Amino acid sequence: MTHEIDPGSIESEADIPRDHPRYQDLLTRFRIEEGVRSGITHLQGMHAEGRGSAFDYLLGEETIPSADDAARAAAASLLLAKRPVISVNGNVAALVPAEIGELAAVTEAAVEVNLFHRTEDRIARIISHLNDHGVEEVLGSEATARIPGLDHDRGLVSADGIYAGDVVLIPLEDGDRAAALQEMGKREIVIDLNPLSRSQRAADIPIVDNVIRAIPGITEHARELMAAAPSELETILSEFDSEEHLASAEERIRSGDLEHA
Ligand code: PTJ
C-alpha cells in the first residue's frame, strides 16, 4: 500500500493507518492539534512538538536501551519517594492523559497541572480533560506556594503538590524551572527528546524518549517493581548512569540510523 497521507486531512485517530511508518508522529501531531483546538495546548506547543518530532525521527521513533534503563530508574525513584509528584503541561495533557493517570495510580503520585504559559482558563480545561481520562484528583488550580528564584507566573505551584514533593517528574520542562526545583533539593526526573536541553543536563534522571513511550514505560517498570524491597530499588537507582544515557542518546541522534524512518 502507499503510505502517502496528508496529516491535515486526518479527522480522527482512526484515520491514521497503524502500519504507517510514521504512525507515532502522525498520532502525536494530531493530538497536539486537537489540544490546541480545545484550548488545552498552547500554540507554542506545536513548535515544541515539531522540535521533538525531529529528534524522535533521528532516534528511529523507538525507546533506546539506555532510555529504558532510565525509565526503570525513574520507576524506582517514584516508588521510593515519600511525596512523588507528576507535573503536567499542555503538551503532556494532550498526548498522554490516561497514561498519566495510570502512572500516578501505580506510584501513588500526586498530579499537578503546571504551565509555562499560565492561564486560569487553560488550567481548568486541562484539569477537566484529565478528569475525563480517569485522573480523579488533579492539583494546580490553586497556586498556594512559590518556587524561590522564578518570576511571578512560572514560580506558582500548589503547596501540597510540587512545592512539597521530594521526587518530581517534569516532562518537557524549561531549564530555569528545572534548575530552581533542583535548588529546592528535589530529585528530578525529566522526559525530553533533546539530550542537550538544560533541563536534561540538570536532571537526576534524564529520559531521552518521546513522552508517549516514556510514560507507559515507567508505569510498566513500576508495576514490576511494586513489591521490590527498598534496597533493590536503591540499587537500581545507584546503578543508573545519567551521563552515559545522555551520551548514548546524543550519539544515536547524531549517527541517525534511519532504518525505521
Ligand atoms: O503548556 P505550557 O504552557 O506549559 O507549555 C509547554 C511547552 C512545551 C510549549 C513549553 O514548555 C515550551 O515552549 O517548551 P520548549 O522550550 O519548546 O521545549 C520543549 C522541549 O520538549 C523540546 O526540547 C522538545 O524536543 C521536547 N519535546 C517536544 N515534544 C516531545 C518532547 N520531548 C518528549 N516527548 C515529546 N512528545
Side-chain angles (χ1 to χ4, degrees):
M1 73 171 271
T2 172
H3 284 118
E4 286 306 318
I5 184 164
D6 168 13
S9 70
I10 297 170
E11 285 178 6
S12 86
E13 289 186 11
D15 293 342
I16 309 171
R18 281 200 167 262
D19 64 345
H20 194 284
R22 312 289 330 279
Y23 174 78
Q24 286 188 33
D25 185 57
L26 291 169
L27 181 69
T28 305
R29 276 200 219 194
F30 178 74
R31 287 190 181 167
I32 292 291
E33 282 182 9
E34 283 291 286
V36 171
R37 275 189 212 111
S38 61
I40 287 173
T41 307
H42 193 275
L43 253 187
Q44 286 292 325
M46 293 183 111
H47 295 294
E49 164 54 26
R51 195 136 53 104
S53 157
F55 286 118
D56 208 17
Y57 183 83
L58 293 170
L59 280 173
E61 289 183 3
E62 66 181 20
T63 301
I64 63 170
S66 63
D68 186 54
D69 293 343
R72 190 168 174 80
S77 180
L78 289 166
L79 290 171
L80 280 168
K82 287 194 175 65
R83 298 188 75 152
V85 185
I86 303 170
S87 176
V88 174
N89 65 20
N91 283 50
V92 174
L95 292 175
V96 282
E99 292 83 350
I100 288 289
E102 282 163 35
L103 177 59
V106 175
T107 57
E108 295 181 17
V111 175
E112 176 170 343
V113 177
N114 199 253
L115 303 181
F116 187 76
H117 311 92
R118 185 185 174 92
T119 66
E120 299 311 316
D121 175 66
R122 212 149 61 83
I123 290 176
R125 284 174 194 267
I126 292 173
I127 291 177
S128 135
H129 181 67
L130 290 168
N131 292 156
D132 289 347
H133 285 81
V135 195
E136 278 165 24
E137 205 178 322
V138 185
L139 301 168
S141 58
E142 306 228 333
T144 42
R146 167 178 295 283
I147 304 168
L150 288 180
D151 61 26
H152 186 69
D153 276 3
R154 284 190 309 164
L156 297 174
V157 282
S158 159
D160 296 329
I162 291 173
Y163 190 81
D166 55 345
V167 175
V168 287
L169 169 59
I170 43 175
L172 283 69
E173 187 56 272
D174 85 283
D176 287 344
R177 202 153 51 179
L181 287 170
Q182 202 160 53
E183 276 291 302
M184 290 177 78
K186 299 180 190 303
R187 181 175 274 167
E188 283 182 342
I189 304 164
V190 173
I191 303 170
D192 192 319
L193 279 156
N194 179 3
L196 302 173
S197 75
R198 279 195 306 135
S199 42
Q200 283 294 39
R201 298 275 151 191
D204 296 285
I205 304 177
I207 306 177
V208 182
D209 201 7
N210 196 319
V211 80
I212 65 173
R213 296 188 299 272
I215 296 286
I218 302 170
T219 305
E220 204 180 307
H221 284 297
R223 280 209 180 95
E224 239 175 72
L225 294 170
M226 254 164 96
S231 58
E232 190 189 332
L233 299 175
E234 293 286 1
T235 305
I236 291 168
L237 263 185
S238 64
E239 284 175 353
F240 172 67
D241 186 336
S242 62
E243 296 284 323
E244 205 176 282
H245 169 46
L246 289 175
S248 61
E250 187 180 344
E251 165 63 21
R252 175 76 173 251
I253 286 168
R254 286 190 190 277
S255 67
D257 158 22
L258 292 183
E259 198 186 308
H260 311 275

